[in-house]
Amino acid sequence: MWVFGYGSLIWKVDFPYVTKIVGYISGFQRKFYQHSVDHRGIPGKPGRVVTLVPGAETDKVYGIAYQISEQDRAIVIDHLDYREKGGYVRTPILFYPKDKVKDPFEIIIYVADNDNPQYAGPADEDVIAHQVVNSKGPSGTNVEYVFNLAKAMRNIAPDVVDEHLFTIERKVQSLLKHNSSSVVFSTTLS
């Protein structure tokens, strides 16, 4: 069995696996359209995390495929079902290894569709960035999630530009810099 990581599963792997392969799935886009009240936010003040939304046939979402051994399959599925409980469901899809020598193969992804109660939907990227900067949950800050995902994507697919992810990252950095400058400015006036 293979599992695809396109969000925190890229940089926060907390389950046993045999091997991993960088590659992509097609026909989707990675978007910060899912609320998180169990990891990167709390009820009443949700964070924003990524999910997959339908895109054009030519759209690709890069990530990492993890091969799970048969002996660990049940444990990993139970763990991921719990970890992704905030509206995500398991779905099989075709995975294309970045190494073109390897053939595509079926993989399991966790997708939060727009019918789940935590689905936040499209929003202005400035609004998403503000929500990210102001959210923290049991797994840490929402800022950490965005920065770790952007860094991981640059490491595994340096030639791929994920416009939505990198735009959110830039906007969050700008807000943090502005907020930091405001704090420094207000402190110097005291």
Side-chain angles (χ1 to χ4, degrees), residues 115-181:
D115 290 341
N116 83 81
Q118 296 301 320
Y119 186 73
D124 181 83
E125 289 171 334
D126 288 315
V127 171
I128 293 172
H130 277 279
Q131 187 174 349
V132 165
V133 167
N134 292 299
S135 297
K136 182 179 180 180
S139 295
T141 67
N142 208 174
V143 169
E144 174 191 47
Y145 177 94
V146 171
F147 289 173
N148 283 341
L149 180 54
K151 179 181 178 184
M153 288 309 303
R154 286 187 182 96
N155 286 337
I156 68 166
D159 53 329
V160 175
V161 176
D162 188 320
E163 194 56 44
H164 180 71
L165 170 61
F166 296 153
T167 297
I168 298 297
E169 177 195 35
R170 280 191 307 275
K171 289 181 180 290
V172 167
Q173 288 169 335
S174 178
L175 284 171
L176 291 174
K177 183 178 177 183
H178 176 72
N179 288 346
S180 176
S181 298

Side-chain angles (χ1 to χ4, degrees), residues 25-38:
I25 59 170
S26 61
F28 288 94
Q29 297 176 352
R30 179 187 359 247
K31 298 286 187 177
F32 281 89
Y33 288 1
Q34 181 73 2
H35 275 150
S36 174
V37 296
D38 55 349

